[in-house]
Amino acid sequence: MYSLTPGYRVPALQRGLSPVETTLTKINAGIGGAILASAMITPPPVWTFGAVGAAAALLNVAPGHRSIARWAAVGYRRLRERTAPGSMVAQPGTTATWQLYPDHGTMQDPHSRMAFHDAFSRALAFAGGQARTAGIQVHVTHHAAVEEFTAHTQTISVHVPKGLGHAERIIGTLEGEFARLGALTSAEPAPVLEVVERGPGWVGLDDGRYAVTARITGWPDETDGDLMRKVLLGDGKADHKNPLFVTDRSFAVLYRPMPPGQARRSAKWQSAAAEAFTTDKIKQAANEIATGATHGALVQGATLVDIDAYLTVWGDNPEAVTDARWQASLVADRHRIRLDWLTGQQHRAHVMTTPHGASTRKGAIL
């Protein structure tokens, strides 16, 4: 069961809270609870309520795609960082990367695609069940390099954080699972590209190319699981003349499978929040259907998976990459895919469509 949406906006429940945000939220909630408890004995100063409320607003009020606190962090990073810091992809743990070559036509054929997704879901369920806390990350990239012919390269990376189970055993088992998806060969990722130039919404890299990266924040159910085909290969009827499909582009998804216990608790709280905070009858009915589907999948042994998906378009110069961004937006609109072009984070975002994205922490991209 996959989810691109952050859930219901109960206090500080946003997409992929970073460790700092989680800590600040807990501290603020604890202080707020202590103030309310002390009010039963001695009324606290009025300013304490204002301070707790202001902190909660910074963490939760979201003008646009991010909270006020996140916008502040984005601005600070942009001023302080020229390129993606090494610490972003240097998390302690064990990481393995493979190149995967699925059988020809797997993504185009609905039955083959469904079998591929089922096998991949079983691998994610295994990864989620290897620890009591979430932490194992599976990262998939797909690159389309357009020359006389379009060359497609797909990688799968697994990152097991330090101290989280037997890393070699977990990676070895997952390698066996992934080998069933197609031809699997070990690979060594290329070094992270350095940013040498920054512009309005794009970055220039040290290999001479320019890149713009977007986070995919949602796609409709009617895509039927063929998002990769729509984004990378195009719809033969609707997209055959679109300039996007004659430019290089990269697509990546970072999967964070939850342990079974955490998945069940998350599903329970999401269901409770939906009942408590949703007043629209149509949305209530939709939530009930989704809750039933989630419950059935969990009963059958699936797990919930936190997903971050990214799309990078490439160009040889700023004008070309700006035009590629515009064409990508048009294709996304046609297929009802929502994109967030990550204002102020382009110097970091391009890393997420490389295998190095497997070892990033939550909060690397806000």
Side-chain angles (χ1 to χ4, degrees):
M1 299 298 294
Y2 305 148
S3 174
L4 275 172
T5 55
Y8 303 94
R9 295 193 66 81
V10 296
L13 184 56
Q14 302 179 72
R15 168 191 298 283
L17 285 178
S18 67
V20 174
E21 288 177 307
T22 302
T23 301
L24 291 176
T25 299
K26 291 180 178 179
I27 292 174
N28 192 56
I31 293 175
I35 291 174
L36 290 176
S38 65
M40 301 176 64
I41 303 173
T42 303
V46 176
W47 66 266
T48 57
F49 292 99
V52 172
L58 289 174
L59 292 170
N60 291 278
V61 176
H65 294 284
R66 277 161 283 281
S67 65
I68 296 174
R70 286 192 170 195
W71 278 117
V74 167
Y76 173 75
R77 286 177 176 178
R78 179 169 173 79
L79 291 174
R80 186 172 181 268
E81 300 170 353
R82 179 67 183 176
T83 187
S87 59
M88 176 180 170
V89 297
Q91 301 303 320
T94 304
T95 306
T97 300
W98 305 273
Q99 284 192 349
L100 174 66
Y101 299 93
D103 295 333
H104 182 70
T106 297
M107 289 298 115
Q108 289 86 346
D109 180 69
H111 299 290
S112 299
R113 185 171 65 244
M114 184 177 296
F116 182 95
H117 288 168
D118 288 343
F120 190 73
S121 295
R122 288 193 295 270
L124 292 178
F126 168 80
Q130 298 309 298
R132 292 186 177 182
T133 59
I136 297 175
Q137 299 186 155
V138 179
H139 186 261
V140 178
T141 71
H142 192 123
H143 305 278
V146 180
E147 295 180 356
E148 184 177 355
F149 299 97
T150 302
H152 295 276
T153 305
Q154 183 164 302
T155 67
I156 296 182
S157 302
V158 176
H159 177 74
V160 181
K162 184 178 180 180
L164 197 67
H166 301 282
E168 293 183 359
R169 180 180 63 83
I170 294 172
I171 289 176
T173 303
L174 288 174
E175 182 179 7
E177 294 285 338
F178 296 147
R180 300 173 183 174
L181 305 177
L184 194 71
T185 58
S186 181
E188 185 68 27
V192 176
L193 296 174
E194 296 283 331
V195 174
V196 296
E197 185 180 356
R198 295 197 297 188
W202 52 264
V203 291
L205 304 174
D206 59 2
D207 65 348
R209 294 185 298 169
Y210 293 79
V212 182
T213 303
R215 171 186 273 147
I216 299 175
T217 58
W219 64 72
D221 293 337
E222 56 264 28
T223 56
D224 194 29
D226 61 347
L227 176 69
M228 185 175 292
R229 181 177 69 84
K230 284 182 167 58
V231 172
L232 289 171
L233 306 180
D235 186 321
K237 297 179 180 179
D239 298 324
H240 67 287
K241 294 183 179 180
N242 193 288
L244 173 67
F245 298 98
V246 295
T247 60
D248 293 356
R249 52 207 179 274
S250 303
F251 177 72
V253 183
L254 178 58
Y255 302 88
R256 298 184 180 96
M258 297 182 185
Q262 184 177 348
R264 290 192 291 268
R265 290 192 297 272
S266 178
K268 179 181 68 175
W269 283 110
Q270 284 194 7
S271 176
E275 295 177 359
F277 298 107
T278 304
T279 57
D280 185 277
K281 297 298 183 182
I282 301 299
K283 188 174 292 186
Q284 285 180 351
N287 288 336
E288 289 177 1
I289 295 173
T291 299
T294 301
H295 179 78
L298 293 176
V299 169
Q300 294 175 8
T303 188
L304 295 181
V305 181
D306 183 28
I307 287 182
D308 272 325
Y310 298 89
L311 171 68
T312 297
V313 292
W314 304 87
D316 296 327
N317 52 65
E319 293 76 18
V321 79
T322 301
D323 181 66
R325 167 178 168 165
W326 173 249
Q327 298 300 335
S329 297
L330 294 180
V331 171
D333 289 344
R334 182 178 301 121
H335 296 302
R336 311 301 186 265
I337 298 168
R338 296 191 298 274
L339 299 178
D340 170 16
W341 287 103
L342 299 172
T343 302
Q345 302 185 79
Q346 291 298 317
H347 66 288
R348 282 176 166 240
H350 70 94
V351 177
M352 300 307 296
T353 52
T354 71
H356 297 281
S359 57
T360 56
R361 298 178 65 183
K362 285 187 176 182
I365 303 296
L366 295 173

